Amino acid sequence: MLQQVGKFARLSLLGGTLFYVALGAVSAKDQDITGGIILLEISVATLFHIHAYVVNDIFDLELDRTEPRRMDFPLVTGALSVTSAWIIALTALAGSFLVTLAELSPTSALFLVGAYSGLTIYNIAGKKAAVPILTDFVQGCGWASLVLFGATAAGYISRYSLMVAAYVCIYVVFMSVHGGLRDIDNDYRRCAQTTPIFFGARPISGTIGFVTGNLLAMYVSVLQLSLVLLGVAAPLFSLPMAAPGTLLRLAVATAIFTLSSLMLLRAFRAGTDFAVSRTAGAGHLVLTLYGGVFVALPEVGFTALIVLAAVLVLPTLGNTWFRRAFALPYRLSAKGHTGRPR
């Protein structure tokens, strides 16, 4: 039962949603991060997360019915009806606005509207638009608006808040690429419009692997470079080089983004081996998400860093593919990959 609830609400990905809001909060100017504010932001972010993933599953239900990896999802099996799913989603939406309007500022509510709007447009037009890059960026803007919700709930939007929002927007666009490659076999058969397919990626007949091509490689290279520049430039131009810890922060940021880039390269080169490709892709997503901390670093104190680590690392450990990503270096030398997840 708990496993089905976890799949339905994507609880294994909740850490990412909480992290976006936390990044917004710790990047805010004149921040006042009390225990009460933390609980309010966690509550709204969790309700938003439930709504986002439940509504996405409703709109993608017909595609999911032919996707082997989602055969045991509650909506696909019929364990939960579409009507019940809508009730849960709308209740979560209403709850998030009630909390925001009652306890937080009208500005926070405005950014929450932006977050819901971006994801709603994506859910309606995603995998149907002729140019899926556009809907990917609309979704990214929705999640970026959630970052600014976090900033306005804890203080005022700073330039670092805007940089974090831009970082999260690009990161979410990257997630769409990874998701499109993961589901490419079913999406291609069902004529879904995704960014990997738009750029020429194709499934390998008779397998669950894929080939990408130069156009997609160039596109993801631009996305990765944009994230690296944001992640490294923020501390580089915002902190005095003579300040204690500045060089250490830059060194750690450089190491994380280097490893992230290597994981991305491995994910694309291992397209014929599903297990390695998806595990490396998960590693790229986790490390790149950690990189968002360095965009907000000029405003982040020690306590805020502890909060960020807690809201991301603990829920992330519940995700099977993220856990496997940390063990990937030890698995690459293993023989006998079947191309299927174990």
Side-chain angles (χ1 to χ4, degrees), residues 7-10 52-78 80 82 85 122-123 126-128 179-180 182-192 194:
K7 287 182 178 180
F8 176 66
R10 298 295 204 286
Y53 283 96
V54 169
V55 173
N56 182 258
D57 278 357
I58 292 171
F59 277 92
D60 283 354
L61 181 56
E62 291 308 311
L63 276 175
D64 289 347
R65 291 190 194 280
T66 54
E67 172 53 63
R69 285 181 290 277
R70 293 191 177 87
M71 286 293 101
D72 58 347
F73 276 39
L75 279 176
V76 175
T77 62
L80 187 75
V82 172
Y122 174 79
N123 284 328
K127 298 193 176 183
K128 302 178 186 70
R182 178 198 62 211
D183 299 336
I184 192 168
D185 183 53
N186 187 56
D187 287 343
Y188 189 72
R189 280 188 288 104
R190 300 293 303 276
C191 299
T194 66

Side-chain angles (χ1 to χ4, degrees), residues 246-258 294:
T246 297
L247 291 179
L248 177 61
R249 290 177 175 185
L250 285 172
V252 174
T254 301
I256 285 179
F257 283 109
T258 298
F294 297 95

Side-chain angles (χ1 to χ4, degrees), residues 5-81:
V5 171
K7 287 182 178 180
F8 176 66
R10 298 295 204 286
L11 294 183
S12 63
L13 299 176
L14 178 59
T17 302
L18 296 178
F19 195 64
Y20 300 154
V21 176
L23 280 178
V26 300
S27 68
K29 182 170 59 176
D30 299 329
Q31 57 189 247
D32 181 24
I33 306 178
T34 64
I37 291 295
I38 291 173
L39 287 175
L40 287 172
E41 294 206 10
I42 288 175
S43 299
V44 173
T46 301
L47 291 168
F48 179 87
H49 177 90
I50 292 171
H51 177 276
Y53 283 96
V54 169
V55 173
N56 182 258
D57 278 357
I58 292 171
F59 277 92
D60 283 354
L61 181 56
E62 291 308 311
L63 276 175
D64 289 347
R65 291 190 194 280
T66 54
E67 172 53 63
R69 285 181 290 277
R70 293 191 177 87
M71 286 293 101
D72 58 347
F73 276 39
L75 279 176
V76 175
T77 62
L80 187 75
S81 69

Side-chain angles (χ1 to χ4, degrees), residues 129-133 192-202 215:
V131 184
I133 306 170
Q193 298 294 321
T194 66
T195 294
I197 292 173
F198 177 78
F199 279 117
R202 295 293 183 267
L215 286 177

Side-chain angles (χ1 to χ4, degrees), residues 66-342:
T66 54
E67 172 53 63
R69 285 181 290 277
R70 293 191 177 87
M71 286 293 101
D72 58 347
F73 276 39
L75 279 176
V76 175
T77 62
L80 187 75
S81 69
V82 172
T83 300
S84 297
W86 272 118
I87 292 173
I88 292 170
L90 294 176
T91 300
L93 182 148
S96 66
F97 275 108
L98 284 174
V99 172
T100 302
L101 292 171
E103 302 293 340
L104 301 173
S105 69
T107 306
S108 298
L110 183 63
F111 281 113
L112 191 59
V113 170
Y116 277 115
S117 298
L119 268 67
T120 298
I121 293 171
Y122 174 79
N123 284 328
I124 293 172
K127 298 193 176 183
K128 302 178 186 70
V131 184
I133 306 170
L134 298 179
T135 53
D136 288 351
F137 271 96
V138 168
Q139 179 185 207
C141 288
W143 289 102
S145 189
L146 190 66
V147 172
L148 298 179
F149 160 83
T152 55
Y156 300 95
I157 294 175
S158 69
R159 59 177 173 173
Y160 306 114
S161 304
L162 296 175
M163 293 174 71
V164 170
Y167 187 94
V168 167
C169 177
I170 299 170
Y171 176 81
V172 170
V173 170
F174 230 137
M175 288 183 68
S176 295
V177 174
H178 281 294
L181 289 174
R182 178 198 62 211
D183 299 336
I184 192 168
D185 183 53
N186 187 56
D187 287 343
Y188 189 72
R189 280 188 288 104
R190 300 293 303 276
C191 299
Q193 298 294 321
T194 66
T195 294
I197 292 173
F198 177 78
F199 279 117
R202 295 293 183 267
I204 299 173
S205 179
T207 74
I208 53 175
F210 56 84
V211 290
T212 54
N214 293 332
L215 286 177
L216 185 60
M218 288 189 289
Y219 176 67
V220 298
S221 297
V222 170
L223 294 179
Q224 181 72 1
L225 180 61
S226 300
L227 292 175
V228 171
L229 289 176
L230 280 169
V232 175
L236 183 63
F237 294 112
S238 303
L239 298 172
M241 291 303 292
T246 297
L247 291 179
L248 177 61
R249 290 177 175 185
L250 285 172
V252 174
T254 301
I256 285 179
F257 283 109
T258 298
L259 187 54
S260 163
S261 299
L262 292 174
M263 285 283 196
L264 176 64
L265 183 63
R266 188 70 180 107
F268 271 68
R269 285 188 171 178
T272 57
D273 189 322
F274 179 88
V276 171
S277 177
R278 188 173 176 188
T279 304
H284 168 256
L285 289 175
V286 171
L287 289 168
T288 309
L289 190 58
Y290 289 159
V293 173
F294 297 95
V295 184
L297 264 179
E299 298 289 339
V300 176
F302 179 75
T303 302
L305 279 175
I306 297 299
V307 172
L308 284 174
V311 300
L312 178 64
V313 174
L314 295 179
T316 297
L317 293 177
N319 186 292
T320 302
W321 289 103
F322 287 170
R323 291 200 307 271
R324 291 177 180 179
F326 292 114
L328 181 63
Y330 303 99
R331 297 177 58 232
L332 291 181
S333 60
K335 304 298 182 181
H337 284 306
T338 63
R340 294 188 176 275
R342 300 176 193 175

